[in-house]
Amino acid sequence: MKTDLLNTIGMSRQEIESLLDAALRFKSGDDQSKPLAGKSVALVFFNPSLRTRASMQVGIYELGGNAVVLEPGGTSWTLEHRAGTVMDSDKTEHVAEFVRVLERYCTAIGVRTFAALKDWQEERTDPVLNAFARYASAPIINLESAMHHPCQSLADMLTIREKIGAGRKRVVLTWAWHPKALPMAVPNSFALAAAQMGHDLVIAHPPGYDLDEELIENFGDRVEITNDIDAALEGAEVIYAKSWGSKQFYGNTDQDIAGRAQYRSKWIVDEEKMSRTNNAIFMHCLPVRRNVIVTAGVIDSPASVVIDEAENRLHVQKAILARQ
Ligand code: CP
């Protein structure tokens, strides 16, 4: 059985904890093993990246391996993922051949493929990522897809554990205003992992910005969903800010952007909001727009753990790669 990491759905708390334990052994230097010695891992980026790309390349190197970075439509051919398509348009190569060639060279394949925010019903199925998983015999690692970013959420869980200790915490995921409609992968995966870790999860967003209903069913009964950001802050030990687009406006993001203008001043994490928490840490996956999602005063304060959070991507991904 190949061990894809497409998302964390179905992972037990114990499985997540043991991945975090392995990540901490890499971080402390107790584990200096080189399980990728003599092996290569392909990293396929349909979209830009700083953290994911750099931390995966460094992690593969530190595990003794070699990273092969490909950008379909840039440094490699444009890719079709749909089955049964007559490829007489702009796509040059099909995922079916792409992955089966790559796995002759590489022991695992990482894929980044964002939502295009055009068709909610299609994109919520993670079609590109799942095409990779369907055609590949090698393990597929999700480096952020339309719906999930498990490498980020596992690093987030490690960061919470390091900063405020193990055990149940009051964790608030708050929507934030942003001038563009953004995909839901990070909030989906963060909320899912926080619920799986047994945290008391509060998701605060304006009306119409609900996450996927089927995914929410995986959050269990300790999740609270509210449109009241002020109430959500009470007792919060973690504030995780992220903007995302409304699924009702996939295909019409201009309407989303116009409708959300009313939320600009209210849905930002500022010093006043942080002062009403229980000394919460501030988290964000980065990149972040300063003084839009979060004030400079908050992101530059001791409460902000965003740089350590980004570092933890490296350690968690080494643990993921080492289990392949
Ligand atoms: N958080 C994250 O995935 O960052 P990048 O988009 O820079 O990889």
Side-chain angles (χ1 to χ4, degrees):
M1 276 284 285
K2 64 178 180 136
T3 46
D4 290 336
L5 179 66
L6 305 185
N7 56 57
T8 65
I9 294 172
M11 281 178 80
S12 67
R13 179 171 174 179
Q14 197 179 2
E15 280 174 276
I16 296 175
E17 294 275 17
S18 33
L19 256 178
L20 304 189
D21 290 342
L24 284 173
R25 286 193 293 276
F26 282 118
K27 186 169 186 174
S28 66
D30 288 348
D31 189 342
Q32 299 198 17
S33 61
K34 307 277 181 202
L36 294 180
K39 295 178 181 174
S40 291
V41 175
L43 304 175
V44 183
F45 283 91
F46 287 85
N47 313 100
S49 167
L50 166 63
R51 282 142 288 271
T52 306
R53 181 173 173 150
S55 59
M56 285 297 288
Q57 283 192 264
V58 170
I60 291 163
Y61 167 77
E62 289 181 2
L63 295 176
N66 169 61
V68 177
V69 181
L70 297 164
E71 294 138 325
T75 54
S76 67
W77 304 111
T78 49
L79 274 186
E80 176 59 67
H81 68 277
R82 292 168 296 175
T85 314
V86 177
M87 289 173 56
D88 59 359
S89 185
D90 58 331
K91 302 288 169 38
T92 310
E93 181 148 42
H94 199 281
V95 171
E97 285 75 51
F98 180 90
V99 295
R100 288 182 297 160
V101 169
L102 264 187
E103 66 193 16
R104 297 288 173 100
Y105 316 138
C106 299
T107 192
I109 303 172
V111 189
R112 162 160 289 198
T113 171
F114 289 169
L117 289 94
K118 286 187 178 151
D119 180 340
W120 168 250
Q121 287 308 331
E122 186 192 6
E123 292 181 50
R124 66 180 293 279
T125 67
D126 256 339
V128 180
L129 179 74
N130 281 315
F132 272 75
R134 188 163 58 250
Y135 291 112
S137 304
I140 299 294
I141 302 170
N142 183 353
L143 303 179
E144 187 172 348
S145 64
M147 287 289 282
H148 291 278
H149 197 355
C151 294
Q152 181 66 54
S153 64
L154 292 166
D156 296 336
M157 295 307 116
L158 179 60
T159 308
I160 293 173
R161 186 166 124 182
E162 277 188 315
K163 295 294 175 187
I164 56 175
R168 189 198 299 188
K169 309 293 175 197
R170 184 172 167 89
V171 171
V172 177
L173 166 64
T174 177
W175 184 90
W177 182 86
H178 189 286
K180 290 166 70 179
L182 301 178
M184 288 187 194
V186 168
N188 282 343
S189 284
F190 178 81
L192 176 61
Q196 288 171 306
M197 290 296 286
H199 293 306
D200 289 329
L201 172 65
V202 183
I203 305 174
H205 58 70
Y209 285 84
D210 313 72
L211 298 179
D212 184 66
E213 284 86 0
E214 249 178 65
L215 186 71
I216 290 172
E217 284 172 19
N218 292 285
F219 296 171
D221 53 13
R222 277 218 302 277
V223 62
E224 182 188 326
I225 300 173
T226 179
N227 301 141
D228 184 347
I229 178 62
D230 295 322
L233 297 172
E234 293 285 326
E237 294 165 281
V238 175
I239 298 291
Y240 197 101
K242 187 71 185 79
S243 191
W244 63 89
S246 168
K247 57 191 190 230
Q248 66 186 308
F249 294 126
Y250 268 51
N252 190 358
T253 51
D254 287 349
Q255 218 175 321
D256 189 340
I257 290 157
R260 68 171 61 184
Q262 59 184 307
Y263 302 127
R264 180 166 187 167
S265 57
K266 181 75 176 169
W267 292 83
I268 179 173
V269 178
D270 57 15
E271 291 86 332
E272 193 276 328
K273 283 198 183 70
M274 290 299 288
S275 73
R276 286 190 284 127
T277 68
N278 181 15
N279 287 316
I281 55 170
F282 172 79
M283 300 182 73
H284 189 281
C285 60
L286 305 181
V288 71
R289 292 191 184 217
R290 284 169 168 253
N291 302 310
V292 171
I293 301 283
V294 56
T295 60
V298 170
I299 199 167
D300 292 333
S301 75
S304 172
V305 300
V306 296
I307 305 301
D308 293 327
E309 184 183 353
E311 181 194 330
N312 281 336
R313 293 288 305 277
L314 170 65
H315 310 301
V316 157
Q317 288 157 195
K318 284 172 75 176
I320 293 165
L321 288 160
R323 71 177 195 159
Q324 301 301 332

